Amino acid sequence: MIFKCINCGAEYPVSPETYLCPICSKNNDAKHPPLGVLQTVYDYNKLKTTPDLFSYLEAEAFLPLLPVNHKQSFSSLRVGKTPMYEFKLGNKTLFLKDDSQNPTYSYKDRASNLVSAFAKENKITTIATASTGNAGSSLAGICASQGQQAIIFVPASAPKAKLTQIMMYGATLVPVEGTYDDCFELSIAASKQFGWYNRNTAYNPLTIEGKKTASYEIFTDMHKQAPDFIFVPVGDGVIISGIYRGFEDLLKLGIINKIPTIVAVQSAGSSNLVGNLGSNQPQFSASNTIADSIAVDVPRNYYMAKKFLEKYEGKGVIVEDSEILEAASDLSQNYGLFTEPASAAAYAGYQKYAGKFGFPKNSKIVIQLTGSGLKDLDAVKSISKFPRAIKPKLNEVEKFLEERKK
Ligand SMILES: *Cc1c(COP(=O)(O)O)cnc(C)c1O
Ligand SMILES: [Zn+2]
């Protein structure tokens, strides 16, 4: 197992000291996506000879495809193995993979769990990260369950629920008067200075590896079949790369013979990956969307995500904030799934794609949901108008119901 630079191909040992390729990252600046992100490479040929390979991998908690040696290194919390709900809609089937049902209520737990396990095997007790909210609350919760110390750098303006979660888990919360980018650089400098392990998204290659486990589960959930389409919300592009990584593993091991069509969904107020697909002169503009978890100015895993989308003919969809809010209502009211806007964006993307291109007959479509609606109540304020309070009298109820009809 090795780390390989996605830009120059240089190889590095898998170690807690290795983050970005030192050659390619030399001239990185905050205005452009970082070069030198590392991808983990495995010896597929050796694994391929194993009989009944997928069952073996499942039984081994996929350890042969992860940079961790022992199952006990992972958190004892139930990370992943999230619900998959199936709905027959005309001649297509919709599958909702609900990652809000992770221990800290977001997809980020998949990455935090691997980073934490890897730290444990390397005798590291303190892990730092920059976060806009979910990565921080996730690392804080997973570290709490593992007896590790978490240090979380966040913009002081992050959503209150996520900050409260970080505090409740007993992590060291470092609010920074600055942007997420400021937090990112500061957390790396502080990690070097104080000898902490760093979980920053895409900067730490294990964040990408950790996020691939959803693909294995989707394959299991669908009775050892790959879907035709997967809709994925995209901010920094680590979840989507992780999902590609997972299916690519299965492809390279001969377990599947085709990568699903993966559709990257971004908000119109933050479309710095989808907006640049097919272009060699990328433009990056400041983000402004209610979906704070996918509000990203310069995607940290831009090059890897773009490469995957181009290699496997993935697609991109851009949705408006109003469509995200509608999707959030629709998911809540028609499926009982209350997810945060970044997560509802995936469903909005599916609806938009359905309207624009439609789907071939008998398509199996997965919507990857990523975070709980309770994490960001302010975002849905505009569509959840609370009714007036009434006196505890029966005739008041009748009046109230009449009013509601109008
Ligand atoms: C982080 C996050 C995303 C986007 O993931 P990226 O890896 O940044 O693309 C989507 N939804 C939620 C809820 C998240 O927390
Ligand atoms: Zn390189």
Side-chain angles (χ1 to χ4, degrees):
M1 192 185 313
I2 45 144
F3 285 150
K4 191 171 178 162
C5 173
I6 63 154
N7 298 109
C8 75
E11 296 180 354
Y12 301 94
V14 172
S15 100
E17 281 89 47
T18 317
Y19 294 103
L20 298 178
C21 166
I23 308 161
C24 294
S25 65
K26 210 178 284 163
N27 297 317
N28 282 350
D29 65 57
K31 291 201 167 56
H32 301 90
L35 289 166
V37 170
L38 301 180
Q39 189 171 308
T40 316
V41 181
Y42 303 83
D43 187 351
Y44 295 107
N45 284 332
K46 205 173 121 200
L47 261 177
K48 253 177 139 166
T49 58
T50 312
D52 201 3
L53 179 54
F54 191 77
S55 303
Y56 162 75
L57 290 170
E58 253 184 331
E60 291 301 310
F62 299 101
L63 284 185
L65 295 170
L66 293 168
V68 162
N69 297 315
H70 308 286
K71 289 180 203 172
Q72 311 86 278
S73 304
F74 289 108
S75 169
S76 53
L77 298 172
R78 195 229 54 220
V79 177
K81 304 189 182 67
T82 53
M84 175 78 119
Y85 302 112
E86 182 177 338
F87 301 90
K88 197 105 191 90
L89 295 180
N91 60 23
K92 60 183 189 259
T93 315
L94 203 59
F95 295 84
L96 303 176
K97 180 72 171 161
D98 185 12
D99 261 64
S100 72
Q101 299 303 304
N102 270 303
T104 78
Y105 316 106
S106 85
Y107 196 105
K108 299 287 193 285
D109 286 343
R110 293 180 185 272
S112 299
N113 196 25
L114 184 64
V115 168
S116 166
F118 184 76
K120 205 172 179 179
E121 293 192 352
N122 286 280
K123 312 263 182 297
I124 295 166
T125 53
T126 306
I127 311 174
T129 197
S131 171
T132 60
N134 280 344
S137 52
S138 170
L139 184 64
I142 298 297
C143 281
S145 77
Q146 295 258 68
Q148 293 166 326
Q149 186 59 35
I151 309 199
I152 316 292
F153 294 80
V154 286
S157 60
K160 274 275 153 354
K162 297 176 184 180
L163 296 182
T164 306
Q165 237 187 323
I166 295 169
M167 298 287 293
M168 286 304 290
Y169 290 132
T172 303
L173 177 70
V174 188
V176 177
E177 286 176 10
T179 63
Y180 173 62
D181 288 315
D182 296 330
C183 294
F184 205 92
E185 297 313 318
L186 185 60
S187 75
I188 291 172
S191 298
K192 281 182 185 151
Q193 170 99 3
F194 302 107
W196 304 326
Y197 190 41
N198 189 292
R199 182 220 178 272
N200 283 8
T201 195
Y203 175 74
N204 185 325
L206 302 199
T207 53
I208 302 159
E209 286 306 285
K211 286 182 172 186
K212 75 184 182 181
T213 54
S215 303
Y216 307 151
E217 291 174 24
I218 289 169
F219 185 71
T220 302
D221 294 338
M222 298 183 64
H223 312 291
K224 305 200 177 174
Q225 244 188 356
D228 300 300
F229 292 87
I230 309 176
F231 287 80
V232 183
V234 174
D236 278 308
V238 177
I239 294 181
I240 195 167
S241 299
I243 289 178
Y244 268 122
R245 285 280 305 112
F247 281 106
E248 194 174 61
D249 282 346
L250 300 184
L251 184 76
K252 289 188 169 162
L253 290 170
I255 293 169
I256 59 173
N257 51 30
K258 187 179 165 287
I259 300 274
T261 301
I262 298 186
V263 186
V265 185
Q266 290 203 293
S267 161
S270 177
S271 58
N272 289 317
L273 176 70
V274 172
N276 285 319
L277 286 177
S279 157
N280 287 324
Q281 250 125 23
Q283 307 251 318
F284 299 97
S285 42
S287 57
N288 178 18
T289 166
I290 50 156
D292 71 290
S293 296
I294 50 169
V296 169
D297 295 352
V298 179
R300 300 276 164 179
N301 206 26
Y302 177 84
Y303 292 106
M304 192 189 291
K306 190 161 183 274
K307 247 184 198 168
F308 273 130
L309 284 160
E310 287 166 357
K311 181 169 180 192
Y312 294 114
E313 296 174 19
K315 305 268 187 284
V317 178
I318 293 173
V319 292
E320 301 294 331
D321 277 5
S322 57
E323 294 170 315
I324 292 176
L325 283 176
E326 258 168 59
S329 294
D330 190 341
L331 278 170
S332 300
Q333 294 175 19
N334 297 320
Y335 299 94
L337 294 168
F338 177 29
T339 72
E340 70 167 276
S343 173
Y347 187 72
Y350 151 74
Q351 289 177 313
K352 196 151 195 174
Y353 191 95
K356 256 188 167 162
F357 311 106
F359 293 100
K361 246 191 180 157
N362 302 322
S363 288
K364 296 187 171 65
I365 303 156
V366 173
I367 318 280
Q368 180 63 62
L369 303 176
T370 50
S372 162
L374 291 176
K375 281 188 169 251
D376 195 358
L377 293 176
D378 278 350
V380 287
K381 244 186 193 156
S382 65
I383 54 165
S384 46
K385 289 197 191 69
F386 287 98
R388 69 175 182 92
I390 60 164
K391 302 229 163 58
K393 300 241 171 64
L394 190 54
N395 67 337
E396 287 264 325
V397 177
E398 204 173 329
K399 233 163 65 190
F400 178 86
L401 294 175
E402 278 305 315
E403 269 174 36
R404 300 281 298 168
K405 274 191 208 151
K406 283 174 200 158

